[in-house]
Amino acid sequence: MSIQAARRTYTIKETAALTGLPASTLRYYESIGIIAPVSRGASSRHRVYDEGDLDRVMWIACLAATGMSVGDMKRYVANGELGPAAARAQVELLTAQQRRLEIEAEHIALRQRYVALKIDYWRATDAGDESRAEQLSDEALRLARDLKRAGRP
């Protein structure tokens, strides 16, 4: 058995299933350069992903899962090709993404607090505790204003 025959390859459907990225996204990422051009089958001309392709697609899928923009992913891939010379730029990109995620987490925490307040409000209402319900309603109103000021992540 040759070395070539021993290498595992994957169809676009298998790659999509393994990485969580839809086939359409894989094709799009390839068309804009986030994923390097994938080899094609000799007769079918269908994409054939090898282990190296799968590894690269997997870490790109991880970046996408963080909510990183397509533009930032393109920069990350381009910087990665520069190696250690781009380390500072990579840190800057990832630090900016980390901050975006922190802000998103803060917004989610605000929304969770709002929902918890509304649950408590309705429990107080159900129990006939009008004073507590009014207090919770006022608190929910203040939090709703905070949510509006914070905007959507």
Side-chain angles (χ1 to χ4, degrees):
M1 180 186 279
S2 73
I3 292 175
Q4 241 354 32
R7 293 182 71 197
R8 173 77 165 95
T9 59
Y10 305 88
T11 65
I12 195 167
K13 184 177 180 180
E14 291 169 324
T15 302
L18 289 168
T19 63
L21 292 175
S24 59
T25 299
L26 293 171
R27 287 190 287 278
Y28 174 65
Y29 284 178
E30 185 180 347
S31 75
I32 63 170
I34 290 177
I35 296 171
V38 177
S39 63
R40 303 293 183 123
S43 61
S44 70
R45 303 303 301 152
H46 292 202
R47 288 171 176 82
V48 178
Y49 295 82
D50 63 23
E51 292 289 339
D53 295 325
L54 189 63
D55 286 344
R56 283 186 294 282
V57 172
M58 192 64 78
W59 61 257
I60 288 168
C62 289
L63 292 175
T66 72
M68 184 177 277
S69 71
V70 168
D72 282 351
M73 284 193 286
K74 281 182 77 166
R75 281 188 287 283
Y76 186 88
V77 169
N79 289 343
E81 292 174 11
L82 300 174
R88 189 168 291 157
Q90 296 295 62
V91 168
E92 289 172 8
L93 263 175
L94 292 169
T95 300
Q97 184 62 22
Q98 182 178 42
R99 182 62 191 138
R100 283 189 288 275
L101 289 171
E102 289 167 354
I103 291 168
E104 186 177 330
E106 291 167 7
H107 292 176
I108 289 170
L110 279 173
R111 293 192 303 266
Q112 287 175 320
R113 281 185 33 221
Y114 181 80
V115 169
L117 278 171
K118 295 306 279 184
I119 290 169
D120 289 345
Y121 167 83
W122 286 108
R123 284 183 177 150
T125 299
D126 187 45
D129 188 345
E130 292 178 24
S131 173
R132 176 82 176 133
E134 187 175 333
Q135 175 191 9
L136 290 164
S137 181
D138 291 344
E139 195 173 338
L141 184 58
R142 284 191 300 276
L143 187 54
R145 288 185 194 124
D146 290 346
L147 280 166
K148 188 173 181 179
R149 272 195 303 273
R152 299 202 61 86

